[in-house]
């Protein structure tokens, strides 16, 4: 059967480069700026302590993702609207059945001079899916890839066979932890001798402190403009102080308070990216008291989302509606907006025998606003008769801790396609199933949606899944948020329309110093 280029593939390629509108060209300057070469950029992110890793296939923190992006590349990446676009893949095709895909690689080289080949792609995916104790998101994203029957058609063309059809494969391959590495990657220690094909080469790394990288001169896209990149770990206050004190040029994930305080500072550029994620709380649906759907529904009804948005996000977020992905492809805009109903919440708690409920809400300083939101939520819950004990945990290990511990936790997400969110968090064996959502019927319906060729019908199926999560799931989504970064005025070329996890987010190969 001939393999035909799909419209989606064409769209993905058509988008390549379209997102490369840089802040330097959007800042109101009368003439385009000419990027300069050289210099060092210091970028500060929230750290993960000893959990920070240079293994690009390990479940990453944002700081890990930024470091991996500098050194490694994937077949595909996300545009700002969550559609896939090529990175190492120059283009791709799919057969009529949706179960056989071919990706043609661009002429790229690893840092040691070797060509990136189809065999490297297959070896990378084999490493990601290999049984191991190390958590790897990519294992879930590659669940339908039949590596035993996949093959290198030629040096720069790889064919991926699937065990069942999916029309989301290019987007799945753009997910976190899907980087392409040399076939002999495990012969080296990535913390000291990382070899990728990214725009920078590793100079040094110390977990919990910093990674220093240098420009890779043989990069297929022409190479970075700066000569050196340093990505450092720092808490929120320290990040802000570093920028204001001239000890950093880029700080990631800042609070609405920081943005408001520095909006008019001529030495600082606040970079707000709307529609970049959700602010939420996660109830574990497989543990008491939230294994009772009446308790979950009561908690969704007692929260005052507008108040949380006004107080915690300083009005910069949009009111949430208990499902992920507002503004993204497949999102169901017709879901009724859930509001506060204290009388009904109290009635549901009484019906569940939980009118005197006491529950711990885990939170931490791992993200701006977490503790403030948890504290305010506890006050709101008290109005319905529930006692919520706010418990502040270790910010370095918070996101891994809440996967297995506790029953109720502060939660958030950056941007990603809705199918990737479902695959990573909402199917029974998902590696980040923070709500303990395990429904065989839901898993089967998700698989049917992915395998549906007709886009309109596929969209309808995704809407049904969102309806189920809206009615019965474990997320209380109180806000759809913007992402706030800030840069020194001397740093140019930072893309504004670049939500976390997308191609142009934390893209330090395109920045330059004035």
């Amino acid at each position: 059967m001939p393999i035909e280029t799909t419209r989606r593939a064409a769209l993905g390629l058509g988008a390549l480069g379209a997102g490369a509108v840089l802040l330097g060209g959007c800042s109101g300057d009368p003439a385009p700026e000419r990027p300069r070469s050289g210099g060092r950029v210091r970028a500060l992110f929230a750290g993960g302590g000893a959990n920070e890793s240079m293994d690009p296939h390990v479940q990453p923190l944002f700081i890990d993702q930024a470091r991996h992006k500098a050194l490694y590349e994937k077949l595909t990446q996300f545009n700002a609207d969550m559609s896939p676009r090529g990175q190492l893949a120059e283009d791709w095709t799919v057969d009529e059945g949706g179960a056989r895909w071919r990706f043609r690689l661009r002429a790229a080289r690893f840092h040691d001079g070797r060509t990136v080949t189809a065999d490297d792609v297959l070896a990378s995916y084999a490493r990601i899916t290999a049984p191991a104790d190390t958590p790897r998101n990519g294992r879930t994203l590659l669940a339908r890839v039949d590596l035993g029957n996949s093959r290198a058609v030629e040096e720069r063309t790889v064919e991926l066979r699937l065990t069942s059809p999916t029309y989301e494969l290019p987007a799945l391959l753009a997910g976190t932890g899907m980087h392409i590495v040399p076939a002999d990657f495990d012969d080296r220690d990535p913390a000291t001798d990382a070899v990728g094909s990214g725009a920078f080469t590793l100079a040094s790394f110390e977990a919990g402190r910093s990674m220093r990288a240098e420009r890779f001169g043989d990069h297929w896209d022409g190479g970075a403009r700066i000569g050196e990149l340093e990505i450092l770990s720092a808490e929120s206050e320290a990040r802000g102080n570093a920028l204001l004190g001239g000890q950093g040029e880029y700080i990631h994930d800042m609070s609405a308070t920081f943005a408001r305080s520095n909006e008019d500072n001529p030495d600082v550029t606040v970079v707000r990216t709307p529609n970049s994620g959700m602010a939420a709380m996660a109830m574990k649906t497989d543990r008491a008291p939230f294994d009772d759907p009446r308790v979950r529904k009561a908690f969704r009804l007692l929260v005052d989302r507008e108040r949380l948005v006004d107080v915690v996000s300083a009005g910069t977020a949009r009111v949430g509606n208990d499902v992920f992905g507002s503004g993204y492809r497949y999102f169901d805009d017709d879901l009724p907006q859930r509001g506060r109903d204290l009388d009904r919440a109290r009635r549901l708690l009484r019906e569940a025998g939980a009118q005197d409920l006491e529950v711990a809400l885990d939170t931490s300083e791992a993200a701006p606003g977490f503790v403030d939101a948890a504290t305010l939520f506890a006050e709101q819950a008290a109005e319905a008769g529930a006692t919520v004990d706010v418990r502040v945990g270790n910010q370095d290990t918070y996101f891994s801790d809440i996967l297995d511990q506790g029953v109720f936790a502060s939660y958030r997400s950056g941007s990603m396609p809705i199918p990737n969110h479902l695959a990573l968090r909402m199917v029974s064996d998902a590696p980040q199933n923070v709500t303990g959502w395990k429904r065989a019927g839901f898993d089967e319906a998700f698989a049917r949606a992915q395998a549906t060729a007709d886009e309109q019908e596929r969209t309808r199926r995704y809407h049904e899944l969102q309806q189920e999560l809206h009615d019965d799931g474990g997320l209380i989504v109180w806000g759809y948020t913007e992402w706030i970064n800030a840069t020194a005025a001397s740093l140019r070329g930072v893309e504004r329309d670049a939500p976390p996890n997308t191609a142009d987010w934390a893209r330090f190969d395109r920045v330059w110093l004035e």
Side-chain angles (χ1 to χ4, degrees), residues 254 256 259 272-277 313 316-318 480-484:
M254 300 307 293
R272 297 175 179 271
T273 304
N275 206 34
S276 290
S313 298
T316 59
R318 292 183 292 114
Y480 297 118
T481 58
E482 62 180 20
W483 208 268
I484 301 173

Side-chain angles (χ1 to χ4, degrees), residues 53-56 71-72 110-114 127 181-182 184-197 200-206 211-212:
S53 173
M54 291 305 296
D55 185 333
L71 303 182
Y72 303 96
F110 289 116
H111 299 151
D112 59 6
R114 290 181 293 173
R127 184 176 189 271
V181 298
D184 59 356
F185 183 79
D186 285 324
D187 292 347
R188 305 175 179 86
D189 180 355
T192 58
D193 190 18
V195 175
S197 62
F200 295 90
T201 62
L202 179 67
S204 64
F205 168 69
E206 184 177 354
M211 179 203 79
R212 192 169 65 81

Side-chain angles (χ1 to χ4, degrees), residues 155-345:
E155 185 178 54
R156 287 175 47 199
T157 302
V158 61
E159 180 178 282
L160 298 178
R161 297 288 189 104
L162 308 184
T163 55
S164 58
T166 177
Y167 292 89
E168 309 288 359
L169 188 62
L172 295 173
L173 300 182
T176 54
M178 295 297 294
H179 296 87
I180 304 305
V181 298
D184 59 356
F185 183 79
D186 285 324
D187 292 347
R188 305 175 179 86
D189 180 355
T192 58
D193 190 18
V195 175
S197 62
F200 295 90
T201 62
L202 179 67
S204 64
F205 168 69
E206 184 177 354
R209 294 183 63 87
S210 72
M211 179 203 79
R212 192 169 65 81
E214 298 172 347
R215 181 179 185 274
F216 175 41
D218 201 18
H219 188 254
W220 59 268
D221 198 25
R225 289 161 174 158
I226 59 174
E228 184 178 336
L229 171 66
E230 191 168 11
I231 298 180
L232 301 114
S233 306
E235 296 180 2
S236 178
E237 184 177 354
R239 297 198 296 276
N241 289 338
L243 184 69
L244 297 174
Q247 297 169 314
E249 288 74 37
Y250 177 101
I251 56 176
H252 181 258
D253 196 12
M254 300 307 293
S255 68
T257 301
F258 178 89
R260 190 169 55 246
S261 300
N262 289 280
E263 209 79 64
D264 298 323
N265 185 340
D267 297 325
V268 172
T269 301
V270 175
V271 182
R272 297 175 179 271
T273 304
N275 206 34
S276 290
M278 68 173 185
M281 293 160 196
M283 303 176 285
K284 283 199 163 36
T285 62
D286 58 347
R287 299 179 190 176
F290 298 115
D291 56 349
D292 188 323
R294 295 170 295 186
V295 177
R296 296 199 296 273
K297 184 171 290 186
F299 269 52
R300 287 195 295 267
L301 288 169
L302 65 81
V303 63
D304 186 341
R305 296 171 180 79
E306 288 85 356
R307 180 73 175 152
L308 282 163
V309 166
D310 288 343
V311 173
V312 180
S313 298
T316 59
R318 292 183 292 114
V319 172
N321 197 24
D322 297 340
V323 288
F324 171 85
S326 175
Y328 303 153
R329 186 185 186 203
Y330 302 128
F331 186 78
D332 187 357
D333 291 310
D334 292 330
L335 288 171
Q337 176 62 52
R338 180 166 286 125
R340 195 181 200 205
D341 188 338
L342 279 177
D343 289 339
R344 194 173 170 208

Side-chain angles (χ1 to χ4, degrees), residues 30 75 92 104 108 112 120 205 289 383 437 481:
L75 283 192
W92 56 83
R104 188 162 60 94
D112 59 6
D120 295 313
F205 168 69
E383 297 177 49
W437 180 255
T481 58

Side-chain angles (χ1 to χ4, degrees), residues 45-61:
F45 289 69
N51 291 326
E52 295 172 14
S53 173
M54 291 305 296
D55 185 333
H57 297 156
V58 172
Q59 179 181 320
L61 307 167

